[in-house]
Amino acid sequence: MICFVLEEIPVSKLKLSAELAFSKGQSEESLKIWTQVISREPKNEQHYYKRFRVQLRLQRFKDALKDLTSAIELKPAFEIAISQRAGLHLRLGHCREGMADFQLLQQ
């Protein structure tokens, strides 16, 4: 049996695997891999955004909001993440938060 240590797999390959799993509808697998990617590169807002997409597909809305917020904290001018978070807030009935995000986009 061959065992691979997570640290030996390049992040670029993990990201490709996560995207492939997502495109095949293997959301749980994609989520698991994106979580590994984030553990290796926690300062990359794109990773949180990509995991948000998986969380959204799985209808894990609270976790999706957390990932969007993490992405925005890392890159405050991340417009697509702000827009997505605003829409998700409104979808969840969080009107004040959603409108606050839309106002951020207009600044």
Side-chain angles (χ1 to χ4, degrees):
M1 177 190 315
I2 299 174
C3 294
F4 293 98
V5 176
L6 177 62
E7 296 299 324
E8 292 177 7
I9 302 171
V11 170
S12 59
K13 287 191 178 189
L14 287 173
K15 292 188 315 188
L16 287 173
S17 295
E19 288 293 341
L20 183 60
F22 185 76
S23 71
K24 289 181 173 183
Q26 298 169 345
S27 300
E28 291 290 345
E29 181 66 14
S30 182
L31 179 65
K32 180 177 130 189
I33 298 168
W34 279 119
T35 300
Q36 292 172 355
V37 169
I38 289 169
S39 75
R40 301 260 307 271
E41 292 184 355
K43 301 287 186 199
N44 187 319
E45 74 281 349
Q46 290 292 327
H47 300 339
Y48 290 95
Y49 184 78
K50 300 231 176 166
R51 189 171 70 176
F52 144 76
R53 296 179 321 150
V54 181
Q55 303 279 22
L56 190 63
R57 181 183 279 178
L58 292 168
Q59 298 185 357
R60 295 180 182 164
F61 302 124
K62 283 177 115 178
D63 292 329
L65 278 174
K66 287 178 189 176
D67 281 340
L68 286 171
T69 298
S70 294
I72 295 164
E73 286 171 353
L74 290 168
K75 184 179 177 186
F78 195 177
E79 290 185 6
I80 189 70
I82 296 168
S83 176
Q84 290 288 339
R85 188 174 71 176
L88 186 52
H89 272 308
L90 292 177
R91 182 176 179 181
L92 296 173
H94 307 158
C95 296
R96 265 189 238 138
E97 294 90 339
M99 293 310 295
D101 279 343
F102 280 126
Q103 288 174 350
L104 278 177
L105 290 170
Q106 295 179 354
Q107 294 177 356

